[in-house]
Amino acid sequence: MPKYYAVKAHIALLVDELGEGAPIPTERDLSERFEVARETARQALRELVLEGRLRQQGRGTVVAGPSWSSRCPWPAIPRAYGVRGAPPAVRSSPWTVSPAPTRSPPRPA
């Protein structure tokens, strides 16, 4: 098992204890606390950011709040808007594109 999994698990426990917006210790502090390389701590933080449990704010990392999809009172809307909260791509359009009418070139005088 990679070391960053264990560091990620410990940070996840810390996230559960802290409230939304609470700062997470720096990569340097985490690497010293868990006796791992700084890159290992960085990878653990990066994965938690990708999962949406943490977010980057300014020069630090803080505990993220609940996602939009979990706060939405209508469960079908987040599915319709996709994972990132953006509307789905348009697959067809009611508009048609026609080529411009061609004109014959002017006749020389």
Side-chain angles (χ1 to χ4, degrees):
M1 175 165 93
K3 286 184 181 180
Y4 80 91
Y5 281 166
V7 175
K8 178 181 166 185
H10 286 290
I11 297 171
L13 292 174
L14 179 64
V15 167
D16 292 339
E17 293 173 7
L18 299 172
E20 178 182 348
I24 296 295
T26 63
E27 292 172 359
R28 185 177 186 178
D29 292 340
L30 291 170
S31 64
E32 290 173 0
R33 180 186 296 181
F34 300 117
E35 298 177 354
V36 295
R38 192 167 167 187
E39 180 58 35
T40 304
R42 181 178 296 141
Q43 186 172 3
L45 289 173
R46 188 179 312 125
E47 290 225 348
L48 288 167
V49 168
L50 289 173
E51 290 175 7
R53 300 195 62 193
L54 299 176
R55 63 182 160 86
Q56 300 291 328
Q57 179 176 328
R59 290 185 51 176
T61 305
V62 297
V63 177
S67 67
W68 176 76
S69 60
S70 67
R71 291 188 317 249
C72 183
W74 304 286
I77 291 178
R79 285 193 306 272
Y81 276 83
V83 175
R84 296 178 186 230
V90 176
R91 290 193 172 82
S92 63
S93 172
W95 305 98
T96 58
V97 178
S98 305
T102 57
R103 292 190 219 168
S104 51
R107 295 184 182 208

XYZ file of all heavy atoms in Angstrom:
841
model
N 0.851 -1.173 0.000
C 0.000 0.000 0.000
C 0.901 1.242 0.000
O 1.814 1.334 0.809
C -0.894 -0.024 1.246
C -1.734 1.204 1.392
S -3.083 1.032 2.575
C -2.327 1.627 4.044
N 0.633 2.185 -0.921
C 1.444 3.401 -0.961
C 1.316 4.202 0.336
O 0.266 4.208 0.990
C 0.856 4.192 -2.136
C 0.130 3.191 -2.963
C -0.329 2.133 -2.014
N 2.389 4.905 0.688
C 2.397 5.683 1.927
C 1.342 6.779 1.930
O 0.763 7.090 2.955
C 3.771 6.314 2.132
C 4.832 5.362 2.563
C 6.125 6.116 2.832
C 7.215 5.161 3.233
N 8.475 5.874 3.502
N 1.097 7.365 0.755
C 0.166 8.488 0.744
C -1.256 8.057 1.098
O -2.049 8.867 1.562
C 0.207 9.247 -0.581
C -0.557 8.636 -1.717
C -1.884 8.989 -1.946
C 0.035 7.721 -2.568
C -2.597 8.451 -2.990
C -0.664 7.183 -3.625
C -1.974 7.540 -3.830
O -2.668 6.999 -4.870
N -1.594 6.758 0.920
C -2.917 6.280 1.337
C -3.092 6.439 2.851
O -4.144 6.861 3.323
C -3.116 4.813 0.973
C -3.477 4.528 -0.461
C -3.401 3.234 -0.961
C -3.896 5.519 -1.324
C -3.741 2.947 -2.270
C -4.233 5.253 -2.630
C -4.148 3.962 -3.101
O -4.487 3.687 -4.398
N -2.059 6.060 3.595
C -2.127 6.166 5.051
C -2.202 7.630 5.480
O -2.999 7.987 6.361
C -0.915 5.488 5.684
N -1.404 8.480 4.834
C -1.438 9.911 5.155
C -2.807 10.476 4.809
O -3.389 11.249 5.586
C -0.314 10.662 4.396
C -0.415 12.156 4.622
C 1.051 10.148 4.833
N -3.346 10.078 3.674
C -4.670 10.542 3.248
C -5.733 10.129 4.274
O -6.621 10.919 4.613
C -4.991 9.954 1.879
C -6.344 10.314 1.344
C -6.557 9.652 0.001
C -7.999 9.686 -0.418
N -8.245 8.957 -1.651
N -5.652 8.913 4.792
C -6.614 8.430 5.783
C -6.535 9.257 7.063
O -7.571 9.623 7.644
C -6.374 6.957 6.078
N -5.317 9.595 7.501
C -5.161 10.409 8.707
C -5.691 11.825 8.490
O -6.343 12.388 9.369
C -3.690 10.461 9.131
C -3.197 9.196 9.746
N -3.608 8.762 10.993
C -2.335 8.259 9.302
C -3.016 7.625 11.273
N -2.239 7.288 10.259
N -5.427 12.389 7.319
C -5.927 13.733 7.026
C -7.453 13.710 6.939
O -8.123 14.641 7.385
C -5.304 14.291 5.728
C -3.790 14.424 5.890
C -5.902 15.639 5.369
C -3.060 14.757 4.599
N -8.014 12.644 6.374
C -9.473 12.522 6.278
C -10.103 12.511 7.667
O -11.162 13.108 7.886
C -9.853 11.267 5.503
N -9.465 11.859 8.630
C -9.962 11.880 10.010
C -9.897 13.290 10.573
O -10.816 13.733 11.271
C -9.151 10.913 10.880
C -9.316 9.428 10.582
C -8.343 8.611 11.423
C -10.751 8.997 10.842
N -8.822 14.007 10.263
C -8.682 15.388 10.710
C -9.770 16.268 10.095
O -10.360 17.117 10.768
C -7.297 15.912 10.338
C -6.971 17.354 10.704
C -6.971 17.530 12.215
C -5.629 17.749 10.111
N -10.066 16.040 8.817
C -11.109 16.803 8.123
C -12.460 16.579 8.798
O -13.246 17.517 8.952
C -11.164 16.404 6.625
C -12.418 16.913 5.955
C -9.932 16.919 5.906
N -12.732 15.347 9.215
C -14.000 15.043 9.878
C -14.140 15.788 11.207
O -15.241 16.160 11.598
C -14.137 13.535 10.113
C -14.289 12.759 8.809
O -14.682 13.377 7.798
O -13.994 11.554 8.808
N -13.019 16.024 11.889
C -13.047 16.729 13.170
C -13.201 18.234 12.992
O -13.811 18.894 13.826
C -11.764 16.446 13.949
C -11.610 15.023 14.408
C -10.246 14.759 15.032
O -9.481 15.728 15.230
O -9.952 13.595 15.317
N -12.623 18.782 11.923
C -12.647 20.225 11.701
C -13.929 20.637 10.991
O -14.587 19.826 10.348
C -11.439 20.637 10.852
C -10.071 20.348 11.458
C -8.977 20.630 10.446
C -9.858 21.169 12.721
N -14.270 21.887 11.090
C -15.458 22.391 10.417
C -15.120 22.966 9.051
O -13.952 23.132 8.685
N -16.159 23.298 8.315
C -16.004 23.876 6.979
C -15.187 25.163 7.058
O -15.410 26.013 7.916
C -17.377 24.182 6.389
C -17.329 24.834 5.039
C -18.707 25.168 4.498
O -19.705 24.696 5.055
O -18.764 25.915 3.511
N -14.205 25.279 6.163
C -13.365 26.470 6.098
C -12.172 26.443 7.029
O -11.342 27.346 6.997
N -12.062 25.410 7.867
C -10.926 25.313 8.789
C -9.656 24.996 8.008
O -9.670 24.169 7.098
C -11.185 24.225 9.829
N -8.549 25.651 8.347
C -7.305 25.397 7.613
C -6.704 24.042 7.976
O -6.799 23.581 9.115
C -6.395 26.545 8.046
C -6.924 26.977 9.370
C -8.391 26.705 9.345
N -6.084 23.429 6.986
C -5.373 22.161 7.154
C -3.898 22.501 7.381
O -3.400 23.468 6.815
C -5.532 21.302 5.868
C -6.999 20.942 5.656
C -4.691 20.043 5.902
C -7.579 20.042 6.717
N -3.177 21.733 8.192
C -1.744 22.000 8.359
C -1.021 21.994 7.003
O -1.462 21.360 6.048
C -1.265 20.845 9.242
C -2.482 20.382 9.964
C -3.624 20.617 9.027
N 0.088 22.681 6.953
C 0.845 22.790 5.706
C 1.446 21.441 5.318
O 1.554 20.522 6.142
C 1.994 23.806 5.861
O 2.904 23.325 6.856
C 1.466 25.176 6.250
N 1.862 21.350 4.062
C 2.511 20.118 3.585
C 3.737 19.808 4.430
O 3.996 18.652 4.761
C 2.930 20.282 2.121
C 1.790 20.376 1.154
C 2.264 20.727 -0.245
O 3.474 20.922 -0.459
O 1.397 20.806 -1.136
N 4.455 20.844 4.778
C 5.663 20.658 5.580
C 5.325 20.083 6.951
O 5.968 19.136 7.420
C 6.382 21.995 5.715
C 7.695 21.915 6.410
C 8.341 23.279 6.414
N 9.674 23.193 6.968
C 10.489 24.201 7.073
N 10.119 25.390 6.633
N 11.681 24.053 7.587
N 4.302 20.650 7.602
C 3.888 20.136 8.916
C 3.398 18.691 8.824
O 3.720 17.856 9.674
C 2.780 21.006 9.512
C 3.263 22.394 9.895
O 4.482 22.571 10.069
O 2.407 23.297 10.013
N 2.621 18.405 7.788
C 2.105 17.040 7.615
C 3.241 16.050 7.358
O 3.235 14.940 7.903
C 1.092 16.996 6.474
C -0.230 17.725 6.733
C -1.039 17.810 5.444
C -1.026 17.029 7.821
N 4.200 16.447 6.533
C 5.310 15.533 6.230
C 6.137 15.255 7.477
O 6.609 14.132 7.671
C 6.172 16.092 5.097
O 6.795 17.294 5.490
N 6.308 16.267 8.342
C 7.045 16.048 9.591
C 6.235 15.196 10.562
O 6.763 14.304 11.209
C 7.400 17.389 10.233
C 8.456 18.154 9.467
C 8.691 19.553 10.011
O 8.027 19.949 11.012
O 9.523 20.264 9.418
N 4.919 15.454 10.648
C 4.064 14.716 11.581
C 4.011 13.231 11.236
O 4.064 12.374 12.114
C 2.655 15.295 11.562
C 1.701 14.578 12.510
C 0.277 15.043 12.400
N 0.144 16.443 12.785
C -0.998 17.101 12.798
N -2.113 16.500 12.436
N -1.048 18.362 13.151
N 3.895 12.913 9.940
C 3.756 11.517 9.520
C 5.067 10.903 9.059
O 5.098 9.759 8.613
C 2.705 11.408 8.416
C 1.341 11.880 8.860
C 0.739 12.965 8.259
C 0.682 11.252 9.899
C -0.508 13.413 8.664
C -0.564 11.688 10.315
C -1.165 12.776 9.704
N 6.146 11.667 9.150
C 7.493 11.206 8.786
C 7.533 10.640 7.376
O 7.964 9.509 7.133
C 8.000 10.190 9.809
C 8.139 10.775 11.203
C 8.572 9.761 12.242
O 8.670 8.556 11.917
O 8.820 10.176 13.377
N 7.035 11.436 6.444
C 7.061 11.078 5.022
C 7.635 12.257 4.241
O 7.794 13.354 4.777
C 5.644 10.741 4.496
C 5.090 9.498 5.164
C 4.687 11.913 4.671
N 7.916 12.024 2.986
C 8.402 13.097 2.124
C 7.285 14.112 1.887
O 6.094 13.779 1.944
C 8.881 12.529 0.796
N 7.675 15.326 1.600
C 6.681 16.382 1.368
C 5.800 16.068 0.161
O 4.610 16.368 0.153
C 7.425 17.698 1.162
C 6.533 18.890 1.198
C 7.346 20.142 1.312
N 6.527 21.297 1.050
C 6.979 22.513 0.953
N 8.263 22.747 1.096
N 6.167 23.514 0.711
N 6.366 15.453 -0.857
C 5.590 15.073 -2.044
C 4.508 14.050 -1.681
O 3.424 14.056 -2.262
C 6.507 14.519 -3.139
C 5.796 14.112 -4.402
C 4.998 15.252 -5.050
O 5.426 16.412 -4.994
O 3.925 14.951 -5.617
N 4.785 13.178 -0.721
C 3.786 12.203 -0.273
C 2.607 12.918 0.379
O 1.442 12.607 0.097
C 4.424 11.205 0.710
O 5.547 10.585 0.075
C 3.439 10.142 1.136
N 2.907 13.896 1.230
C 1.839 14.681 1.857
C 1.077 15.470 0.797
O -0.156 15.570 0.844
C 2.432 15.622 2.899
N 1.793 16.010 -0.179
C 1.153 16.780 -1.253
C 0.197 15.900 -2.059
O -0.908 16.324 -2.399
C 2.220 17.361 -2.177
C 1.659 18.202 -3.304
C 2.758 18.803 -4.162
N 3.548 19.726 -3.366
C 4.872 19.849 -3.452
N 5.557 19.123 -4.299
N 5.504 20.717 -2.702
N 0.601 14.672 -2.348
C -0.266 13.766 -3.117
C -1.524 13.403 -2.326
O -2.618 13.343 -2.891
C 0.506 12.514 -3.509
C -0.285 11.601 -4.432
C 0.548 10.469 -4.981
O 1.718 10.317 -4.642
N -0.052 9.664 -5.834
N -1.386 13.204 -1.027
C -2.553 12.901 -0.190
C -3.524 14.078 -0.197
O -4.744 13.897 -0.342
C -2.111 12.573 1.225
N -2.995 15.296 -0.069
C -3.849 16.489 -0.109
C -4.507 16.639 -1.469
O -5.689 16.965 -1.565
C -3.024 17.740 0.218
C -2.573 17.891 1.663
C -1.622 19.071 1.793
C -3.762 18.057 2.581
N -3.746 16.397 -2.529
C -4.274 16.529 -3.892
C -5.459 15.588 -4.109
O -6.468 15.984 -4.699
C -3.169 16.220 -4.907
C -3.540 16.500 -6.339
C -2.401 16.203 -7.317
N -1.132 16.765 -6.895
C 0.003 16.065 -6.746
N 0.033 14.776 -6.989
N 1.111 16.651 -6.356
N -5.352 14.371 -3.620
C -6.458 13.418 -3.782
C -7.703 13.862 -3.018
O -8.818 13.733 -3.509
C -6.015 12.025 -3.329
C -5.012 11.421 -4.265
C -5.318 9.990 -4.584
O -6.168 9.381 -3.925
O -4.684 9.483 -5.517
N -7.511 14.416 -1.820
C -8.657 14.888 -1.047
C -9.298 16.119 -1.690
O -10.509 16.306 -1.616
C -8.239 15.186 0.397
C -7.941 13.923 1.225
C -7.231 14.287 2.518
C -9.213 13.158 1.518
N -8.482 16.934 -2.371
C -9.036 18.069 -3.125
C -9.853 17.547 -4.299
O -10.968 18.015 -4.555
C -7.910 19.016 -3.605
C -8.434 20.014 -4.624
C -7.286 19.750 -2.425
N -9.336 16.550 -5.005
C -10.066 15.974 -6.140
C -11.373 15.318 -5.705
O -12.351 15.316 -6.448
C -9.194 14.968 -6.885
C -8.039 15.560 -7.689
C -7.145 14.457 -8.247
C -8.559 16.443 -8.797
N -11.396 14.764 -4.504
C -12.620 14.146 -3.979
C -13.612 15.195 -3.482
O -14.750 14.866 -3.170
C -12.278 13.199 -2.828
C -11.556 11.951 -3.263
C -11.127 11.087 -2.087
O -11.503 11.392 -0.916
O -10.399 10.116 -2.314
N -13.169 16.446 -3.367
C -14.055 17.509 -2.924
C -14.114 17.703 -1.419
O -14.928 18.455 -0.919
N -13.244 17.008 -0.685
C -13.251 17.154 0.781
C -12.436 18.354 1.235
O -12.662 18.893 2.310
C -12.723 15.882 1.428
C -13.621 14.701 1.029
C -13.431 13.492 1.845
N -13.763 13.748 3.235
C -13.438 12.908 4.201
N -12.802 11.811 3.928
N -13.742 13.184 5.452
N -11.472 18.770 0.418
C -10.649 19.939 0.695
C -10.715 20.861 -0.503
O -11.077 20.450 -1.606
C -9.184 19.547 0.937
C -8.880 18.616 2.104
C -7.398 18.275 2.123
C -9.287 19.241 3.424
N -10.340 22.141 -0.295
C -10.233 23.065 -1.426
C -9.064 24.000 -1.185
O -8.696 24.281 -0.044
C -11.526 23.846 -1.638
C -11.939 24.738 -0.526
C -13.271 25.436 -0.832
N -13.899 25.914 0.361
C -13.649 27.092 0.928
N -12.799 27.908 0.375
N -14.258 27.453 2.030
N -8.465 24.456 -2.285
C -7.363 25.408 -2.217
C -7.952 26.790 -2.004
O -8.900 27.161 -2.672
C -6.565 25.381 -3.519
C -5.954 24.041 -3.847
C -4.825 23.663 -2.905
O -4.121 24.523 -2.412
N -4.665 22.384 -2.661
N -7.374 27.540 -1.080
C -7.839 28.899 -0.842
C -6.618 29.758 -0.581
O -5.962 29.602 0.441
C -8.792 28.950 0.348
C -9.281 30.350 0.655
C -10.302 30.347 1.772
O -11.063 29.408 1.923
N -10.306 31.404 2.558
N -6.337 30.655 -1.517
C -5.164 31.499 -1.354
C -3.909 30.652 -1.320
O -3.644 29.875 -2.219
N -3.171 30.761 -0.239
C -1.930 30.001 -0.114
C -2.086 28.743 0.715
O -1.099 28.070 1.014
C -0.869 30.883 0.523
C -0.410 31.987 -0.389
C 0.697 32.764 0.211
N 1.760 31.882 0.672
C 2.900 32.293 1.177
N 3.123 33.570 1.287
N 3.807 31.444 1.579
N -3.293 28.407 1.115
C -3.478 27.247 1.966
C -4.569 26.320 1.469
O -5.193 26.543 0.448
N -4.779 25.272 2.240
C -5.824 24.297 1.947
C -6.782 24.296 3.123
O -6.348 24.282 4.272
C -5.206 22.898 1.750
O -4.202 22.976 0.741
C -6.238 21.894 1.329
N -8.072 24.316 2.836
C -9.087 24.355 3.886
C -10.112 23.246 3.654
O -10.214 22.700 2.554
C -9.800 25.727 3.946
C -8.831 26.831 4.307
C -10.518 26.039 2.660
N -10.873 22.954 4.695
C -11.937 21.949 4.601
C -13.049 22.521 3.724
O -13.500 23.640 3.925
C -12.480 21.599 6.001
C -13.636 20.614 5.895
C -11.370 21.044 6.879
N -13.445 21.753 2.729
C -14.502 22.187 1.814
C -15.862 21.954 2.443
O -16.042 21.067 3.281
C -14.397 21.418 0.496
N -16.815 22.761 2.020
C -18.188 22.574 2.467
C -18.857 21.503 1.632
O -18.251 20.923 0.726
N -20.117 21.245 1.909
C -20.828 20.250 1.110
C -20.954 20.715 -0.335
O -21.033 21.911 -0.607
C -22.197 20.151 1.785
C -22.325 21.376 2.612
C -20.940 21.842 2.935
N -20.941 19.771 -1.246
C -21.028 20.105 -2.666
C -22.430 20.586 -3.013
O -23.392 20.339 -2.286
C -20.684 18.889 -3.518
O -21.674 17.905 -3.356
N -22.541 21.257 -4.142
C -23.828 21.762 -4.600
C -24.826 20.624 -4.764
O -25.980 20.745 -4.398
C -23.642 22.504 -5.921
C -24.929 22.968 -6.510
C -25.684 24.038 -6.117
C -25.647 22.371 -7.587
N -26.805 24.152 -6.882
C -26.802 23.130 -7.802
C -25.424 21.269 -8.397
C -27.728 22.824 -8.787
C -26.339 20.973 -9.376
C -27.482 21.744 -9.557
N -24.360 19.485 -5.277
C -25.286 18.381 -5.528
C -25.843 17.800 -4.227
O -26.966 17.329 -4.191
C -24.616 17.295 -6.358
O -23.497 16.788 -5.681
N -25.064 17.852 -3.142
C -25.586 17.320 -1.888
C -26.510 18.315 -1.179
O -27.305 17.928 -0.345
C -24.435 16.927 -0.962
O -23.730 18.072 -0.552
N -26.408 19.615 -1.503
C -27.276 20.618 -0.890
C -28.562 20.828 -1.670
O -29.499 21.436 -1.175
C -26.549 21.967 -0.817
C -25.409 22.005 0.134
C -24.891 23.429 0.284
N -24.796 24.128 -0.972
C -23.676 24.484 -1.564
N -22.538 24.197 -1.006
N -23.682 25.133 -2.708
N -28.620 20.357 -2.901
C -29.767 20.609 -3.761
C -30.987 19.837 -3.256
O -30.922 18.630 -3.038
C -29.448 20.197 -5.194
S -30.793 20.546 -6.332
N -32.131 20.522 -3.066
C -33.306 19.822 -2.554
C -33.963 18.889 -3.575
O -34.790 18.072 -3.211
C -34.251 20.963 -2.164
C -33.827 22.123 -2.980
C -32.349 21.953 -3.231
N -33.633 19.023 -4.852
C -34.211 18.171 -5.887
C -33.128 17.263 -6.433
O -32.259 17.689 -7.184
C -34.808 19.018 -7.008
C -35.812 19.977 -6.479
C -37.071 19.704 -6.045
C -35.624 21.371 -6.284
N -37.684 20.838 -5.596
C -36.812 21.883 -5.737
C -34.568 22.251 -6.510
C -36.972 23.217 -5.413
C -34.730 23.579 -6.186
C -35.922 24.049 -5.649
N -33.131 15.986 -6.089
C -32.028 15.099 -6.443
C -31.820 14.903 -7.936
O -30.723 14.565 -8.356
C -32.391 13.778 -5.769
C -33.763 13.914 -5.252
C -34.159 15.343 -5.309
N -32.830 15.120 -8.762
C -32.647 14.883 -10.196
C -31.830 15.992 -10.858
O -31.190 15.766 -11.877
C -34.003 14.772 -10.887
N -31.818 17.188 -10.297
C -31.115 18.303 -10.937
C -29.611 18.075 -11.014
O -29.025 18.247 -12.072
C -31.470 19.632 -10.255
C -32.925 19.954 -10.577
C -30.546 20.753 -10.701
C -33.436 21.212 -9.946
N -28.910 17.678 -9.921
C -27.468 17.456 -10.071
C -27.136 16.403 -11.122
O -26.152 16.536 -11.851
C -27.035 17.004 -8.678
C -28.047 17.598 -7.768
C -29.340 17.572 -8.545
N -27.952 15.364 -11.241
C -27.687 14.354 -12.279
C -27.849 14.954 -13.660
O -27.079 14.671 -14.572
C -28.625 13.168 -12.105
C -28.254 12.264 -10.960
C -29.011 10.943 -11.039
N -30.449 11.110 -11.131
C -31.281 11.205 -10.095
N -30.795 11.174 -8.872
N -32.568 11.350 -10.279
N -28.841 15.816 -13.833
C -29.072 16.428 -15.133
C -27.944 17.371 -15.512
O -27.613 17.516 -16.683
C -30.399 17.180 -15.140
N -27.342 18.014 -14.514
C -26.278 18.969 -14.790
C -24.898 18.338 -14.759
O -23.903 19.007 -14.969
C -26.358 20.142 -13.812
C -27.335 21.175 -14.278
C -28.684 21.040 -14.032
C -26.903 22.255 -15.011
C -29.586 21.977 -14.481
C -27.799 23.194 -15.468
C -29.141 23.056 -15.202
O -30.014 23.985 -15.668
N -24.778 17.093 -14.498
C -23.489 16.429 -14.556
C -22.709 16.588 -13.262
O -23.125 17.247 -12.324
N -21.544 15.989 -13.233
C -20.714 15.943 -12.038
C -20.216 17.327 -11.635
O -20.193 17.686 -10.486
C -19.519 14.999 -12.271
C -18.571 15.023 -11.105
C -20.016 13.597 -12.527
N -19.810 18.149 -12.569
C -19.190 19.432 -12.251
C -20.182 20.562 -12.073
O -19.804 21.685 -11.831
C -18.205 19.816 -13.346
C -17.074 18.847 -13.438
C -16.157 19.242 -14.545
N -15.161 18.227 -14.705
C -13.881 18.456 -14.756
N -13.439 19.672 -14.703
N -13.032 17.481 -14.904
N -21.468 20.291 -12.236
C -22.448 21.333 -12.052
C -22.701 22.154 -13.299
O -23.408 23.131 -13.272
N -22.126 21.760 -14.412
C -22.343 22.476 -15.659
C -23.446 21.782 -16.449
O -23.622 20.576 -16.340
C -21.067 22.490 -16.478
N -24.202 22.524 -17.223
C -25.254 21.878 -18.004
C -24.652 20.918 -19.031
O -23.534 21.104 -19.480
C -25.975 23.033 -18.694
C -25.169 24.241 -18.459
C -24.156 23.953 -17.401
N -25.371 19.864 -19.364
C -24.853 18.912 -20.340
C -24.680 19.574 -21.703
O -25.319 20.559 -22.018
C -25.913 17.811 -20.389
C -27.138 18.443 -19.834
C -26.699 19.523 -18.903
N -23.792 19.010 -22.493
C -23.536 19.546 -23.829
C -24.775 19.408 -24.702
O -25.541 18.457 -24.575
C -22.366 18.803 -24.469
N -24.965 20.352 -25.577
C -26.102 20.314 -26.492
C -25.783 19.314 -27.592
O -24.744 19.390 -28.233
C -26.370 21.708 -27.088
C -27.484 21.656 -28.110
C -26.698 22.685 -25.996
N -26.665 18.379 -27.785
C -26.411 17.344 -28.778
C -27.038 17.668 -30.127
O -26.596 17.207 -31.144
C -26.932 16.021 -28.252
C -26.094 15.516 -27.093
C -26.426 14.075 -26.784
N -25.499 13.543 -25.808
C -25.596 13.710 -24.511
N -26.593 14.400 -24.001
N -24.723 13.182 -23.686
N -28.101 18.442 -30.124
C -28.717 18.808 -31.387
C -29.240 20.226 -31.263
O -29.451 20.734 -30.173
C -29.854 17.849 -31.741
O -30.865 17.949 -30.759
N -29.458 20.843 -32.371
C -29.921 22.220 -32.376
C -31.120 22.341 -33.311
O -31.158 21.708 -34.365
C -28.797 23.132 -32.863
O -29.273 24.435 -33.057
N -32.106 23.152 -32.935
C -33.247 23.328 -33.832
C -32.894 24.202 -35.041
O -33.649 24.274 -35.990
C -34.292 24.004 -32.947
C -33.500 24.714 -31.914
C -32.281 23.867 -31.684
N -31.752 24.846 -35.005
C -31.353 25.731 -36.093
C -30.590 24.952 -37.150
O -29.851 24.036 -36.852
C -30.468 26.855 -35.566
C -31.118 27.611 -34.463
C -30.911 27.436 -33.126
C -32.110 28.604 -34.589
N -31.697 28.275 -32.399
C -32.459 29.017 -33.287
C -32.759 29.198 -35.659
C -33.408 29.991 -33.038
C -33.696 30.171 -35.394
C -34.018 30.559 -34.107
N -30.774 25.340 -38.394
C -30.019 24.716 -39.479
C -29.127 25.768 -40.114
O -29.435 26.960 -40.111
C -30.952 24.133 -40.558
O -31.780 25.179 -41.052
C -31.808 23.026 -39.982
N -28.032 25.338 -40.645
C -27.089 26.244 -41.286
C -27.182 26.025 -42.789
O -27.076 24.901 -43.270
C -25.650 25.972 -40.793
C -24.656 26.875 -41.489
C -25.582 26.152 -39.291
N -27.397 27.103 -43.503
C -27.475 27.035 -44.963
C -26.316 27.821 -45.548
O -25.899 28.832 -44.982
C -28.777 27.667 -45.467
O -29.875 27.067 -44.847
N -25.796 27.395 -46.683
C -24.720 28.170 -47.293
C -25.262 29.510 -47.802
O -26.434 29.640 -48.146
C -24.230 27.295 -48.444
C -25.333 26.336 -48.702
C -26.112 26.193 -47.421
N -24.385 30.497 -47.837
C -24.779 31.822 -48.330
C -25.080 31.725 -49.825
O -24.481 30.949 -50.562
C -23.654 32.812 -48.083
N -26.043 32.524 -50.305
C -26.342 32.485 -51.738
C -25.120 32.972 -52.527
O -24.401 33.862 -52.103
C -27.517 33.434 -51.897
C -27.584 34.237 -50.640
C -26.867 33.466 -49.576
N -24.922 32.335 -53.637
C -23.774 32.724 -54.457
C -24.202 33.778 -55.471
O -25.307 33.745 -56.008
C -23.203 31.504 -55.206
O -24.244 30.927 -55.989
C -22.679 30.476 -54.234
N -23.335 34.725 -55.685
C -23.588 35.775 -56.679
C -22.581 35.584 -57.798
O -21.448 35.199 -57.584
C -23.366 37.150 -56.086
C -24.368 37.513 -55.040
C -24.201 38.964 -54.706
N -24.367 39.124 -53.265
C -24.076 40.202 -52.598
N -23.522 41.218 -53.218
N -24.282 40.277 -51.317
N -23.025 35.906 -58.953
C -22.071 35.818 -60.061
C -21.149 37.035 -59.986
O -21.543 38.114 -59.576
C -22.818 35.793 -61.406
O -23.733 36.860 -61.482
N -19.889 36.848 -60.361
C -18.934 37.962 -60.278
C -19.348 39.092 -61.212
O -20.002 38.867 -62.249
C -17.604 37.339 -60.696
C -17.945 36.072 -61.373
C -19.306 35.657 -60.889
N -18.994 40.349 -60.885
C -19.357 41.454 -61.759
C -18.675 41.326 -63.123
O -17.556 40.832 -63.241
C -18.882 42.678 -61.013
C -17.914 42.182 -59.987
C -18.242 40.753 -59.742
N -19.377 41.779 -64.159
C -18.811 41.702 -65.519
C -17.863 42.874 -65.751
O -18.134 43.996 -65.319
C -19.942 41.761 -66.546
C -20.830 40.552 -66.418
C -21.853 40.575 -67.479
N -22.724 39.427 -67.290
C -23.349 38.858 -68.255
N -23.239 39.319 -69.474
N -24.101 37.828 -68.027
N -16.765 42.607 -66.426
C -15.840 43.710 -66.708
C -16.477 44.752 -67.640
O -17.248 44.418 -68.519
C -14.631 43.061 -67.376
C -14.969 41.618 -67.556
C -16.291 41.359 -66.908
N -16.111 45.978 -67.449
C -16.700 47.063 -68.253
C -16.034 47.202 -69.591
O -15.010 46.819 -69.949
C -16.624 48.378 -67.507
